[in-house]
Amino acid sequence: PRSDCLAAEQLCLSDSTCNATYRILENCALAKTHLLPLDHDNKVRCLNAELDLGNSSLLHCKCHRRMKKQEHCLRVFWTVHSSMTDGYFNLETSPYENPANEEHWKTDYNKLAALVSGKDCSQLAGDATNPCLKATHVCNLSKKCVRLRTDYASICTKGAGSEDTCDRRKCHRGLRNFFEKVPEDFTKRILFCPCQDELCGERRRKTIVPNCSFQYNTKPNCLWLLDSCLEDHICKSRLADFQQNCQPADMSPDGCSQHNHAACLQAYMGMIGTPMTPNYVSNSSVEVSLWCTCESSGNQKEKCDQILSMFESNKCL
């Protein structure tokens, strides 16, 4: 049975044989993270250590998206599955529990809207032409939603438009906090609000404060973006989750190999606040992209295009 990777690690460390195998895998994972080449003997040693775990609960453990000590849990997962990133691009096994099995905090959106005073009710009704504005008003009804939204907005706008540059790392952390800790009833409405005009589209595009979280002065190569992601346990995990849940399938009527659009949107939200943060490309469409280019990719152009197309031309997404 699948268990939490933190519990599985504790169980393994209390067993001398499992402990010794796990320590070997830690060294293998460390070499991978720092992009140190492993010779043939060490590669074999790493693979054998992974096989030695056999039916250990470590081999089948998963993490929860909103759990405490999430980074530690993900580090355990990638320690045990370090061979999966060999030569990497397709990480089709997500370290996260299947979203369908997770308990989500449910909020009754209509009941919340009814809580607003008479004045605000007319304001909500008047927001029909700008669903993104309406989604913001509804967020303001929740203390947690408005607090965490204000937090990331203030961090991500600090330094923007002046000689100082914003603190992208802090901005990303603030965004992840918002999308992880606020119930999805609020976050999905703010990020995916349907727009009919450019004013609404502009508000939607600026949801994540793109000047700080998304754009650099010049577009980096997408392969550089991928390398930055693979060095970070959270980003690598979110990318694996995204690849699993948003895998396109040309022959499928809904364009998704997993046939679960809710899981795909959840995985897309998980990418926001990582080095591979995506966003809307304009105010007048729902097309999304990464902030990167495949120019000057040399003989890796095909791999680079593949990274970009996961977002730009993904039928499932």
Side-chain angles (χ1 to χ4, degrees):
R2 276 187 181 155
S3 66
D4 175 324
C5 289
L6 294 176
E9 183 190 41
Q10 287 306 309
L11 209 61
C12 177
L13 296 180
S14 64
D15 176 275
S16 57
T17 310
C18 186
N19 192 330
T21 306
Y22 186 62
R23 297 303 178 199
I24 293 170
L25 287 170
E26 279 187 319
N27 290 329
C28 301
L30 205 62
K32 282 270 172 72
T33 306
H34 296 294
L35 304 176
L36 302 172
L38 291 171
D39 59 28
H40 176 72
D41 288 351
N42 276 317
K43 275 184 182 172
V44 170
R45 192 162 167 256
C46 292
L47 281 170
N48 284 342
E50 206 168 304
L51 292 170
D52 284 345
L53 285 178
N55 290 323
S56 156
S57 56
L58 264 177
L59 211 54
H60 307 287
C61 72
K62 291 275 183 176
C63 301
H64 303 282
R65 286 169 184 79
R66 294 173 180 249
M67 74 187 293
K68 286 181 179 177
K69 297 186 178 177
Q70 185 183 159
E71 285 191 58
H72 182 171
C73 185
L74 295 171
R75 191 180 74 236
V76 174
F77 179 89
W78 292 115
T79 295
V80 177
H81 296 285
S82 62
S83 68
M84 273 171 45
T85 57
D86 214 19
Y88 183 79
F89 179 51
N90 288 314
L91 273 182
E92 289 179 16
T93 302
S94 170
Y96 292 110
E97 280 285 3
N98 186 326
N101 299 335
E102 287 192 350
E103 284 184 29
H104 290 308
W105 301 331
K106 291 291 179 190
T107 309
D108 188 331
Y109 181 77
N110 293 324
K111 195 189 289 180
L112 260 173
L115 288 174
V116 193
S117 64
K119 183 187 171 189
D120 287 336
C121 270
S122 62
Q123 190 182 29
L124 276 173
D127 289 337
T129 54
N130 194 336
C132 292
L133 194 58
K134 182 176 179 178
T136 306
H137 287 318
V138 173
C139 171
N140 291 343
L141 300 176
S142 158
K143 283 182 183 174
K144 179 177 269 189
C145 187
V146 74
R147 176 172 58 82
L148 291 174
R149 186 171 170 272
T150 306
D151 281 356
Y152 84 71
S154 62
I155 296 165
C156 300
T157 48
K158 207 171 282 181
S162 68
E163 286 180 14
D164 304 323
T165 51
C166 71
D167 190 330
R168 183 174 279 110
R169 198 179 280 266
K170 274 189 180 174
C171 173
H172 280 167
R173 198 183 304 132
L175 279 166
R176 289 202 308 272
N177 257 344
F178 177 74
F179 286 108
E180 279 177 24
K181 293 180 179 176
V182 175
E184 287 179 7
D185 269 12
F186 296 106
T187 55
K188 278 187 176 172
R189 286 171 196 279
I190 285 176
L191 192 64
F192 303 124
C193 38
C195 289
Q196 301 298 320
D197 60 56
E198 293 205 4
L199 197 69
C200 175
E202 171 78 347
R203 192 177 184 94
R204 180 174 60 191
R205 193 179 62 81
K206 288 193 168 174
T207 296
I208 66 166
V209 196
N211 288 359
C212 183
S213 69
F214 178 65
Q215 291 168 218
Y216 294 77
N217 291 333
T218 54
K219 280 190 177 183
N221 188 284
C222 299
L223 295 167
W224 177 84
L225 220 56
L226 177 67
D227 286 342
S228 305
C229 184
L230 296 182
E231 289 171 15
D232 178 287
H233 282 118
I234 285 185
C235 188
K236 179 163 65 170
S237 302
R238 303 293 172 83
L239 182 59
D241 196 50
F242 179 79
Q243 283 193 311
Q244 178 177 297
N245 290 301
C246 296
Q247 194 72 42
D250 291 335
M251 303 305 286
S252 171
D254 65 359
C256 288
S257 62
Q258 298 287 328
H259 312 295
N260 190 341
H261 285 282
C264 177
L265 290 182
Q266 186 182 47
Y268 173 86
M269 285 198 297
M271 295 301 300
I272 294 170
T274 71
M276 285 182 78
T277 293
N279 196 28
Y280 296 99
V281 293
S282 77
N283 302 338
S284 53
S285 78
V286 287
E287 283 179 39
V288 295
S289 181
L290 297 172
W291 183 262
C292 63
T293 176
C294 283
E295 288 174 22
S296 311
S297 296
N299 60 1
Q300 288 194 295
K301 175 95 169 53
E302 195 178 328
K303 181 181 175 183
C304 185
D305 287 338
Q306 196 183 354
I307 297 163
L308 205 48
S309 68
M310 278 201 310
F311 294 88
E312 284 189 349
S313 52
N314 185 332
K315 284 182 183 176
C316 179
L317 180 64

